[in-house]
Amino acid sequence: MRAIYLDHAATTPPHPAVIGAVAWAMEHCWGNPSSLHLLGRRARDLLDEARVTVADALGCLDAEVFFTASGTESDNIAILGAARTAPPQRRHLVTTPVEHHAVLHACERLRAEGWEVTFVPVDAYGVVDPDDLRRALRDDTYLVSVMHANNETGTIQPVREIAQICRERGVWVHCDAVQTFGLLDVQVDSLGVDMLSVSGHKVYGPQGVGALYVRGGLKIAPLLVGGAQERELRAGTENVAGIWGFAKAVHLCRTEYAHAAQYISHLRHTLQQRLQELIPNVRMNGHPEAAHPGIISVTFPGVSAESLLIALDRRGVAASAGAACSAGSLEPSHVLLALGMSEDEAMSTIRLSVGRSNTPEELHDAAEVIAGEVARLRRRMVASAPAKRL
Ligand code: PLP
């Protein structure tokens, strides 16, 4: 059986046309975009065109798009950079306990600097109730950060409602849309957000490139010092080839793959259904409707997620346990704990994330392999359990 990649939420395979675009830019447009000569101007032209492509996808002005080195950097600039310009009497931030660490750790840093941070609780699917968020807002709240789709459970937050509430209260809103950009509608005006983070390697583009949308009029302080690149928001010579590849990937998402979400969602449902048919006692964790098309979070009680992932890898199925950055650390995922899971349940949960490159046959095979390995690990657990004293 050939390898089956079910880890698209960690990273997506770069599209061949993206690889071609990166190679082409490295060969023909390797000038420094800040240089005034022809080579520099060529590189600058690529950046300008890439910015228009990303801006079109987000429904914003190209002047509102800033290229960064990752989704993580976009999140950091949004939160820390916006906080640095907040008036001293408005140092309160609201977020959720299920955000990516790029957001949570930025909030922790602010807290260490004297900010107050309120975490609005989530329900058992990981959804924030907009009324809870409304109640968390205070006169000194400056910023709210709420993700679009969760990277571990796939649950989608009611960002539009939340942004509307924030707008009424004059509070800026940041949205981490790293998992949904290129797949779902993340037009900034329809979501109503003021900042939005995206990343290249989740849209079949290159790793090490991202973008941040910043609504005109919102002041952000740079985190890096140095050159005046990205209109002084992000110092450092731009990753021209990576950005060009990212733009190519975004273009493909909007043209050739404009209907990918339906296809992926169909595959996800097939896989979910098959797992439920084949495996007794499984639990799906994400929201049944407000869901990312491709992400499945599934708990197999009594099975160690780590052992299962190792066994699946040996059988050619690539999946992961929650966020890639906590894989191998043996720490239960903060997202799953926030949903109210016990540590044992969280440690028995894996994430399967389906993408454009998967086929229905692959998912059929993957379900069989997963079912076989879950049954084997459960048998092994029963066999190794201490015999009950009569
Ligand atoms: N935010 C979310 C929701 C993510 O899933 C990820 C990556 O997994 C990131 C931010 C970080 O993006 P990057 O890997 O580009 O730093």
Side-chain angles (χ1 to χ4, degrees):
M1 193 177 87
R2 76 179 181 93
I4 300 175
Y5 186 70
L6 294 180
D7 205 12
H8 290 80
T11 200
T12 47
H15 190 283
V18 167
I19 299 171
V22 171
W24 179 86
M26 289 191 82
E27 195 177 344
H28 299 285
C29 295
W30 47 265
N32 187 322
S34 299
S35 300
L36 294 179
H37 49 65
L38 177 66
L39 276 167
R41 279 183 281 119
R42 258 196 215 148
R44 166 69 44 203
D45 286 348
L46 285 200
L47 285 187
D48 290 347
E49 205 178 319
R51 205 181 305 281
V52 169
T53 303
V54 175
D56 281 351
L58 293 172
C60 67
L61 302 174
D62 50 347
E64 294 173 315
V65 172
F66 297 85
F67 288 116
T68 67
S70 59
T72 297
E73 193 181 79
S74 300
D75 284 344
N76 271 255
I77 297 176
I79 292 168
L80 299 173
R84 301 271 182 271
T85 62
Q89 69 281 11
R90 288 186 64 191
R91 285 159 61 96
H92 177 237
L93 184 151
V94 175
T95 189
T96 85
V98 294
E99 299 300 311
H100 190 273
H101 278 140
V103 167
L104 290 182
H105 291 172
C107 293
E108 270 164 34
R109 180 163 294 182
L110 287 183
R111 188 132 73 166
E113 293 173 10
W115 277 66
E116 281 187 67
V117 180
T118 300
F119 293 93
V120 184
V122 292
D123 68 12
Y125 294 119
V127 183
V128 171
D129 181 341
D131 284 330
D132 285 342
L133 187 123
R134 189 195 305 276
R135 281 189 284 274
L137 296 182
R138 315 188 316 207
D139 290 343
D140 62 345
T141 309
Y142 188 68
L143 180 65
V144 166
S145 184
V146 178
M147 73 199 318
H148 197 200
N150 186 271
N151 48 300
E152 296 191 38
T153 60
T155 294
I156 292 182
Q157 299 293 2
V159 174
R160 203 165 295 141
E161 290 90 319
I162 288 170
Q164 176 63 30
I165 292 167
C166 293
R167 178 153 301 189
E168 285 160 13
R169 297 285 298 267
V171 173
W172 298 111
V173 188
H174 165 249
C175 178
D176 176 338
V178 165
Q179 289 293 343
T180 47
F181 182 55
L183 205 51
L184 301 182
D185 175 19
V186 292
Q187 295 264 308
V188 292
D189 281 340
S190 83
L191 287 178
V193 298
D194 304 298
M195 291 182 282
L196 186 130
S197 305
V198 299
S199 173
H201 71 113
K202 314 288 184 177
V203 297
Y204 305 80
Q207 294 167 343
V209 54
L212 176 66
Y213 156 76
V214 181
R215 189 175 290 282
L218 169 53
K219 291 267 171 296
I220 310 244
L223 303 187
L224 298 178
V225 289
Q229 289 90 351
E230 295 302 295
R231 294 184 307 295
E232 300 190 13
L233 185 60
R234 202 265 174 190
T237 302
E238 297 90 342
N239 173 5
V240 178
I243 290 168
W244 186 240
F246 178 31
K248 180 76 190 174
V250 171
H251 175 73
L252 286 169
C253 287
R254 305 190 68 212
T255 51
E256 238 176 270
Y257 298 99
H259 303 292
Q262 279 137 276
Y263 174 69
I264 293 170
S265 173
H266 172 71
L267 293 182
R268 172 174 64 94
H269 280 115
T270 310
L271 178 58
Q272 256 172 341
Q273 205 178 337
R274 203 70 198 116
L275 291 174
Q276 278 163 328
E277 280 162 12
L278 293 172
I279 308 175
N281 195 13
V282 300
R283 214 178 63 213
M284 301 294 164
N285 302 307
H287 194 281
E289 280 116 42
H292 182 285
I295 298 179
I296 300 175
S297 168
V298 53
T299 306
F300 304 106
V303 174
S304 146
E306 200 189 17
S307 306
L308 178 58
L309 291 173
I310 293 168
L312 292 180
D313 184 39
R314 271 201 223 108
R315 305 272 316 268
V317 177
S320 79
C325 53
S326 41
S329 69
L330 290 178
E331 289 289 314
S333 137
H334 68 280
V335 172
L336 302 178
L337 295 181
L339 266 55
M341 272 193 201
S342 68
E343 292 203 359
D344 277 353
E345 287 169 323
M347 300 295 268
S348 299
T349 301
I350 66 167
R351 176 184 71 185
L352 303 165
S353 45
V354 179
R356 271 171 10 195
S357 52
N358 292 127
T359 62
E361 296 71 37
E362 278 185 336
L363 295 187
H364 197 271
D365 291 347
E368 301 279 336
V369 171
I370 295 168
E373 291 304 326
V374 167
R376 192 180 60 77
L377 289 168
R378 280 184 174 159
R379 277 197 303 275
R380 203 171 73 180
M381 191 186 70
V382 171
S384 63
K388 274 207 190 119
R389 205 176 276 232
L390 292 173

